[in-house]
């Protein structure tokens, strides 16, 4: 023993250690027996000796430097030592030294980084618990110093040890200030330069850093998202998955979602390999979908992100929301958020674009927001086939959701300007793209179309019907696979809305070319519908039958394969199903069904007659068959040998005292006349080729007999025309029937007969005008005489047709609206089919009459003689009377044509035939107006009778109404530029008298100069050359009603012009206001409205302030002067149009101007709340770092609100009467409510930094307190005083009740506003209430008249009343304090008692009241200690 202890233990080689570790491992893996349990591996003394550690570690370094395979050698040796150290606790120091040495070798790249090194590091990680904690910081230091040099995934193997090392240090008590050390380590890691590989690895291991606080986690996420742009595309899905895991492990979900959305939405735009990027995005969406399923709160964060700020809206956000919508819990919410965001963007842009005082850059920004949303949705849908197929069902649901949001109201008009698609278009594009790209979506789209068409309201179903129409036209062969669903829609033809059912058949017509089965099924459904009792169903069925026949004629004319060229190619099976042999013509096949229509209601017959005209327009060869079809029916009412050839009485029917038109004979005759006019000469009786399809041909005898149908109808019309011209007109209206018991029924029958004859006369007039256009000069004289005669017939029938309808039992839906009755015309029946009453006079005929109008008036005013033989045969008086009637007729017909002009259905051939180019009316109307206006100047020697002058004035009025309606129609149809060009070119300067033109050439020279836009130049020239001279002439003749129409026309055109040019027109109109002494209130209001509307902000309110100042002089002050009298002017000196007659109308307009601006400012406050909420929650989603529109919108709000307050401040000084007084109180209430909301918005919530209010806001508060609040209290007192003076009047009771409701509400809103000002003053240390005057009468008590007498007595003897007044004031102020403290909850006390300062200066109106009492009555917030503190300003909202 002694000898052995004298010698050191024998050293072991590295091979011995490896062999010892293998034996130990073999021993531990053997089955447990008694012998093995009692014996164990004894470690050599050399290994247990601390002096051997250096030798053992040298073996590790030698193997790393000398071994041919250092990775295997080092890994083998290190693993052996690790396994041996686990056998004895005394070897923990060796383990720490070994770990430190191995880490040094790894970080210095002395050993390869491969799978062996990874297994060794993982083995070290399992034994880290045995390493002494004081030794771990050295290891951590080596790892953190190596972090900047990590360039590939193998280098990052050592990071496996870092989380556990830090965790052991955190949980150990052996280190002082362990938490500070950990923070320093994390800071060094975050501050280090990260490679893309290191970033991915850090995201994987950071969740094990459980000790991180909120701030460190935020810093880490910021570091990750700053460097994620450099990560390889193939690593992005895994990185996103790890980030989503972090979000569920305590990291901020909002920040994670924001970072992912920002990266994929904006920062990957420049990545190469777009298809790969799309595939990566698809994989990321799957990860997001899975994460939301596991953690539904992630879905809420995604939804909240888009709700909070629209700038988060990009194509990836849309894709994420559509992916989240696949989770059942979030389906409805995700689709609803997308839909709401898009509609809100459209509404915001629409509002900003219509609000003229919002800056142009803000309007452009809202436009860009809407455009970005549209592009984002479109891109997300177009990229759905790149690994994103799981969102296709969500796309379909979202698309239909947008279509359901479209109705005939405001939503349909959203986004239809400046290149925006709009709800319907973008929803349709989504579904069209899905139908075209994804086969799996086609069946779902068709089924959804069917379900929604049958279940939704008609207004909501129409966009879906239009979508189905596009799918049928674009993909007919694919739609043939879904014919079964389309047939189901036809089964519900009689149960759906008539508008929808008729449209459904129309859109299915293209498919009938390819499937006879579908055509037969459609005919069967229509036959069933014709036997229904509902009128609307039969009307829809008739319309569908006509369209079916027209579609067949159109397809035969275009050829059998014309439709195939514009559609996608069909498969072989689909092509085999398409029939090639056409059947017989549908007109002959369905003639029996059409015959049934001749015995239906009048509306059904009218539709049939119009359809027959369309049939001839499409196929002129079908005219013979149509004549054969109509002749027997026409002969039921036409008797050639009778005294009255047309038996109109058989067309009228009375049931139960109700009279209605059973046969619209005027429409039948119009149908026949149009077909005759459309027939080529000499071919009226030519048989159509379609008769050959019946298997026989016509003989000469049959053909001659057939030709009689067209000739018979033509002869019948000619004889009817002659008969009506020479007939006794009163006898045409029928005789009294003795069987009828009441005179009312007879009167209604006559009126119905007059309506039919009225229509027939218009048909004849249309025929005469068509003949006049082609007649020779000799024939024209006779036709012109006939034309005047039938105008007389029309006038006579019109007198009976337009009698009083009160108490009438006649059905209004069956009576035709005539031209002269266009304003108060009879509406069609409550039929749900949108069938307008087609006029009987064509636009071309009315245009011919309008061109003839100036010739008539030129003859009427000429002194040299008539221009034709016709006029030479008539006396001047008779000719003038006929010309006047003709002018009335043509203008009434023009107005009727413009009023009935359809806004849709322009492709209808019949409507194109009748309406034509409506812009043709413009030039002759303008010429006629000027000619009528210049009649007295052209004929100075001739004396006009009063009736003649009245007729001329009515002609001008009616012509101006027509011109205004024409311009309005052109604006709706986007044809205003073409119309204005024609009006400018037609402005003949020679026909306008010189004294009219020279009204103000100095101002005219400013107009229409330096205008680059040709359309704007034309509009300006039209106003200069036509409207302004006409307005001046009308003002000279005191034609207020006509001048008002001219103002409306100028306003409509001026609103279409650029701002600067519009301002010049407004300046000219302002000069007219300053020079015209008008007495017509309506016209004065119209002129003021024109000036304000054409003035750009802030000039519009500058003009309004000037007018309000003059109104104050005319109305008078609400308080008497020192002499006790109210002073006011009769006429304003600056604006003569403001006088005692017009002041009420102008005041009403200015108050309405305030009201409209209040509504607009309420919208701005709503937007500012949204921006403020986003800023407070730290949302910053703009990729360019651009500040949102909130700050600019806030400054604009302050400027506009200041102008509104100043305008109202004039009215509170006026001596207003009802209803302006009550209107003012309501407006003031709304205004203070908005001011209170804005003040509340400026107060920073708890935890947010409070910023100082801007100087503009401080100025607004000062102006409000000085100029509005204080005078408003006096206005209320004066109003209550007037109530007491007139309280004996019973008519004042309701007025007092209304105002007693308004006044408490107003006082509440004022005090609520001041309450938030007090809070804001406390938060910002800026005294905002230094100019405020608190309320002194919070009990809203109406003062008694005796109190005012007592005040007068007090002035005479102040000493005798001083004591009483002091006591009363003290009592009142105490009660006011009590109520104020209860109402404001003690918030009136802004400052503490220690910081109070002396009160403000005495008020001039509070004489006789001591300072102590005044301090109780009015609490003024402490003024700021220095002017510098008041002037300190910041941005009001942290946008």
């Amino acid at each position: 023993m002694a000898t052995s202890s004298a010698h050191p233990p024998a050293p072991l080689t590295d091979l011995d250690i490896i062999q010892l570790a293998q034996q130990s491992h073999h021993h531990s893996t053997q089955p447990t027996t008694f012998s093995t349990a009692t014996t164990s591996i004894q470690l050599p003394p050399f290994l247990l000796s601390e002096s051997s550690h250096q030798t053992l570690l040298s073996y590790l370094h030698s193997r790393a430097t000398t071994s041919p395979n250092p990775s295997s050698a080092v890994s083998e040796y290190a693993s052996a030592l690790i396994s041996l150290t686990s056998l004895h606790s005394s070897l923990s120091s060796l383990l720490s030294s070994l770990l430190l040495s191995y880490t040094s070798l790894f970080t210095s790249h002395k050993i390869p980084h491969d799978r062996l090194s990874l297994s060794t590091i993982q083995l070290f990680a399992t034994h880290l618990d045995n390493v002494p904690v004081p030794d771990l910081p050295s290891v951590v230091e080596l790892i953190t110093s190596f972090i900047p040099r990590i360039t590939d995934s193998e280098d990052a193997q050592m990071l496996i040890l870092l989380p556990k090392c830090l965790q052991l240090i955190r949980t150990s008590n052996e280190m002082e200030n362990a938490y500070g050390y950990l923070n320093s380590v994390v800071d060094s890691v975050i501050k280090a330069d990260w490679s893309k590989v290191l970033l991915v690895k850090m995201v994987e291991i950071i969740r094990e850093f459980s000790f991180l606080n909120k701030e460190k986690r935020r810093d880490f996420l910021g570091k990750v998202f700053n460097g994620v742009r450099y990560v390889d595309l193939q690593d992005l899905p895994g990185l996103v998955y790890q980030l989503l895991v972090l979000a569920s492990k305590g990291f901020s979900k909002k920040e994670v979602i924001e970072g992912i959305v920002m990266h994929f939405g904006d920062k990957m735009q420049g990545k190469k390999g777009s298809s790969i990027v799309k595939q990566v995005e698809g994989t990321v969406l799957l990860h997001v979908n899975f994460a939301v399923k596991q953690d539904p709160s992630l879905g809420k964060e995604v939804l909240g992100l888009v709700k909070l700020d629209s700038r988060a809206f990009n194509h990836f956000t849309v894709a994420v929301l559509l992916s989240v919508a696949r989770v059942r819990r979030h389906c409805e919410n995700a689709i609803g958020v997308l839909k709401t965001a898009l509609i809100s963007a459209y509404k915001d842009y629409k509002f900003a674009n219509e609000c003229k005082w919002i800056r142009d850059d803000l309007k452009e920004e809202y436009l860009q927001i809407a455009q970005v949303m549209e592009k984002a949705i479109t891109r997300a849908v177009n990229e759905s086939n790149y690994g994103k197929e799981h969102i296709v069902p969500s796309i379909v649901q979202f698309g239909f959701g947008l279509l359901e949001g479209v109705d005939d109201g405001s939503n349909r008009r959203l986004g239809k300007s400046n290149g925006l698609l709009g709800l319907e278009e973008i929803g349709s594009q989504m579904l069209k793209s899905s139908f075209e790209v994804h086969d799996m979506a086609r069946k779902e789209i068709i089924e959804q179309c069917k379900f929604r068409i049958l279940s939704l309201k008609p207004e909501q179903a129409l966009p879906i019907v239009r979508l189905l129409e596009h799918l049928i036209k674009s993909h007919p062969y694919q739609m043939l696979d879904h014919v079964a669903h389309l047939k189901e829609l036809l089964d519900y033809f009689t149960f759906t809305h008539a508008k929808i059912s008729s449209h459904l058949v129309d859109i299915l017509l293209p498919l009938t070319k390819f499937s006879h089965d579908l055509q037969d099924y459609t005919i069967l459904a229509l036959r069933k519908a014709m036997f229904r009792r509902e009128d609307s169903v039969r009307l829809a069925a008739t319309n569908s039958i006509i369209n079916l026949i027209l579609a067949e004629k159109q397809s035969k004319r275009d050829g059998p394969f014309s439709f195939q060229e514009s559609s996608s190619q069909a498969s072989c099976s689909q092509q085999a199903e398409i029939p090639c042999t056409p059947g017989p013509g549908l007109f002959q096949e369905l003639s029996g069904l059409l015959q049934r229509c001749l015995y239906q209601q009048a509306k059904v017959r009218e539709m049939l007659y119009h359809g027959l005209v369309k049939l001839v327009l499409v196929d002129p060869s079908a005219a013979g068959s149509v004549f054969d079809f109509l002749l027997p029916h026409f002969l039921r009412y036409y008797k050639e040998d009778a005294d009255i050839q047309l038996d109109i009485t058989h067309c009228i029917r009375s049931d139960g005292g109700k009279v209605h038109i059973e046969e619209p004979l005027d429409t039948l005759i119009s149908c026949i006349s149009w077909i005759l006019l459309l027939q080529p000469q000499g071919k009226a009786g030519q048989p159509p080729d379609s008769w050959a399809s019946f298997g026989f041909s016509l003989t000469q005898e049959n053909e001659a007999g057939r030709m009689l149908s067209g000739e018979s109808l033509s002869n019948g019309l000619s004889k009817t025309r002659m008969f009506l011209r020479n007939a006794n007109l009163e006898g045409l209206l029928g005789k009294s029937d003795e069987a009828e018991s009441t005179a009312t029924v007879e009167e209604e029958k006559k009126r119905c007969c007059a309506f039919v004859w009225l229509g027939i006369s218009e048909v004849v007039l249309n025929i005469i005008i068509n003949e006049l256009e082609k007649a020779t000069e000799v024939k024209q004289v006779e036709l012109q005489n006939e034309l005047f005669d039938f105008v007389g017939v029309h006038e006579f029938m019109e007198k009976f047709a337009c009698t009083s309808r009160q108490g009438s039992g006649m059905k209004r839906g069956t009576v035709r609206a005539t031209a002269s009755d266009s304003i108060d015309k009879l509406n069609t029946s409550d039929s749900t089919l949108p069938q307008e009453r087609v006029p009987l006079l064509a636009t071309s005929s009315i245009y011919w009459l309008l061109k003839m109008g100036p010739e008539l008036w030129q003859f009427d005013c000429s002194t040299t003689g008539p221009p034709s033989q016709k006029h030479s045969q008539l006396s001047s008086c008779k000719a003038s009377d006929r010309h006047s009637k003709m002018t009335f007729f043509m203008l009434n017909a023009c107005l009727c044509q413009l009023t009935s002009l359809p806004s849709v259905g322009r492709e209808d051939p019949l409507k194109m035939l009748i309406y034509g180019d409506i812009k043709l009316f413009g030039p002759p109307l303008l010429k006629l107006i000027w000619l009528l206006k210049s009649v007295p100047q052209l004929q100075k020697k001739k004396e006009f009778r009063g009736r003649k002058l009245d007729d001329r004035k009515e002609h001008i009025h009616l012509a101006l109404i027509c011109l205004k309606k024409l311009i309005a129609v052109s604006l709706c149809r986007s044809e205003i530029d073409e119309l204005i060009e024609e009006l400018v070119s037609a402005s003949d300067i020679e026909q306008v008298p010189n004294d009219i033109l020279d009204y103000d050439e100095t101002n005219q020279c400013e107009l229409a100069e330096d205008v680059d836009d040709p359309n704007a130049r034309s509009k300006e020239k039209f106003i200069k050359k036509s409207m302004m001279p006409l307005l001046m002439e009308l003002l000279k003749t005191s034609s207020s009603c006509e001048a008002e129409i001219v103002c409306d026309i100028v306003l409509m055109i001026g609103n279409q012009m650029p701002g600067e040019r519009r301002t010049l027109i407004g300046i000219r109109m302002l000069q007219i206001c300053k020079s015209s002494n008008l007495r017509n209130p309506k016209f004065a209001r119209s002129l003021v409205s024109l000036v304000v509307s054409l003035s750009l902000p802030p000039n519009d309110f500058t003009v309004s302030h000037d007018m309000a100042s003059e109104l104050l002089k005319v109305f008078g002050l609400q308080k008497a002067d020192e002499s006790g009298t109210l002073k006011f002017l009769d006429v304003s000196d600056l604006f003569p149009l403001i006088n005692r007659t017009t002041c009420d109308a102008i005041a009403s307009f200015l108050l309405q101007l305030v009201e409209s601006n209040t509504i607009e400012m309420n919208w701005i406050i709503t937007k500012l709340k949204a921006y403020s909420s986003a800023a407070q929650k730290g949302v910053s989603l703009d990729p360019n770092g651009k500040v949102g529109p909130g700050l600019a919108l806030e400054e604009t709000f302050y400027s506009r609100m200041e102008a509104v307050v100043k305008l109202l401040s004039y009215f509170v000084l006026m001596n207003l009467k009802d209803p302006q007084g009550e209107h003012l109180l309501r407006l003031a209430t709304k205004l203070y409510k908005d001011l209170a909301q804005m003040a509340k918005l400026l107060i920073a919530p708890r935890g947010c930094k409070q910023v100082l209010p801007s100087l503009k806001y401080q100025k607004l508060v000062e102006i409000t307190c000085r100029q509005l609040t204080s005078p408003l209290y006096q206005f209320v007192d004066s109003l209550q005083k007037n109530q007491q003076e007139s309280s004996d009047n019973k008519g004042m009771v309701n007025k007092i009740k209304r105002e007693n409701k308004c006044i408490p509400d107003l006082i509440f809103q004022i005090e609520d506003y001041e309450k938030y000002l007090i809070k804001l003053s406390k938060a910002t240390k800026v005294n905002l209430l230094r100019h405020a005057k608190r309320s002194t009468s919070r009990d809203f008590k109406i003062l008694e008249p005796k109190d005012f007498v007592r005040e007068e007595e007090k002035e005479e003897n102040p000493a005798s009343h001083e004591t009483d007044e002091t006591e009363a004031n003290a009592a009142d102020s105490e009660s006011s304090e009590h109520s104020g403290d209860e109402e404001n909850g003690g918030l009136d006390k802004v400052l503490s008692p220690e910081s109070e300062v002396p009160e403000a200066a005495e008020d001039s109106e509070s004489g006789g009241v001591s300072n102590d009492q005044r301090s109780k009555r009015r609490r003024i917030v402490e003024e700021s200690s220095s002017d510098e503190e008041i002037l300190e300003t910041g941005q009001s909202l942290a946008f």
Side-chain angles (χ1 to χ4, degrees), residues 50-64:
E50 292 184 2
S51 59
S52 63
H53 292 177
Q54 191 65 29
T55 304
L56 294 175
L57 294 178
S58 65
Y59 293 156
L60 183 68
H61 290 278
S62 63
R63 278 176 168 264

Side-chain angles (χ1 to χ4, degrees), residues 257-276:
I257 295 299
E258 285 181 17
I260 294 174
V261 168
M262 284 289 294
H263 175 71
F264 286 95
D266 298 308
K267 297 179 181 179
M268 288 189 66
Q269 300 297 325
K271 290 278 187 178
K272 296 182 179 180
S274 59
S275 61
I276 300 177

